[in-house]
Amino acid sequence: QVQLVESGGGLVQAGGSLRLSCAASGSTSSINAMGWYRQAPGKQRELVAVISSGGSTNYADSVKGRFTISRDNAKNTVYLQMNSLKPEDTAVYYCNIVAKFAGSSWLPLGSWGLGTKVTVSS
C-alpha cells in the first residue's frame, strides 16, 4: 500500500505561482508513473499532468506551458509547479499512481488522498 499526501495549495492572485508537493510513503518501490489530478467545484476530476519513472512528462492542453511536473525519487515526492495561474485553475489537486494499459488512457491506481486546495482570485 502507498499513502499519498498532497500539500502546497493556497490562495493566489491570477498570474501568480504555486508549487504543490505529493509525498509518498509505504510500498514506494512499486511506484512507476505519477499523475496530478484536479477537481473543480461541480466538475469531474481531470488528469492534468503525468510523469513516468524515467521522467517523461505529459500535460493536459489546459495547463501546457504553464505547469511543470517533476519528481525526486530519493524523497519519494512529486511536484507540480504552477505558473501564470488563472481563475479556472481553482480546484482541489490530487496526486496518484497512474498506469496505462493496452488501448487505455492513464488510469489512477492508488487510493485518493485528501488533496490540496488551490484558489486563484481574479
Side-chain angles (χ1 to χ4, degrees):
Q1 280 281 8
V2 176
Q3 292 76 46
L4 301 168
V5 178
E6 303 92 346
S7 63
L11 173 64
V12 64
Q13 287 189 331
S17 298
L18 282 174
R19 188 174 85 150
L20 307 183
S21 298
C22 168
S25 60
S27 302
T28 57
S29 60
S30 63
I31 296 175
N32 289 312
M34 292 289 296
W36 278 99
Y37 291 77
R38 68 184 180 186
Q39 187 167 20
K43 295 190 177 181
Q44 288 192 332
R45 195 169 300 183
E46 63 170 342
L47 180 63
V48 297
V50 172
I51 186 165
S52 71
S53 56
S56 298
T57 57
N58 293 93
Y59 299 93
D61 288 343
S62 58
V63 306
K64 204 171 290 184
R66 300 187 299 120
F67 289 12
T68 302
I69 188 171
S70 61
R71 64 193 296 166
D72 184 334
N73 291 330
K75 295 182 178 180
N76 293 318
T77 301
V78 177
Y79 304 98
L80 186 67
Q81 178 66 44
M82 306 187 297
N83 299 327
S84 302
L85 282 161
K86 304 175 181 181
E88 51 263 43
D89 295 318
T90 294
V92 179
Y93 285 72
Y94 304 86
C95 62
N96 209 328
I97 304 166
V98 295
K100 219 172 187 181
F101 303 98
S104 80
S105 55
W106 290 103
L107 299 174
L109 299 184
S111 300
W112 295 103
L114 297 178
T116 186
K117 187 173 183 179
V118 172
T119 303
V120 184
S121 64
S122 57

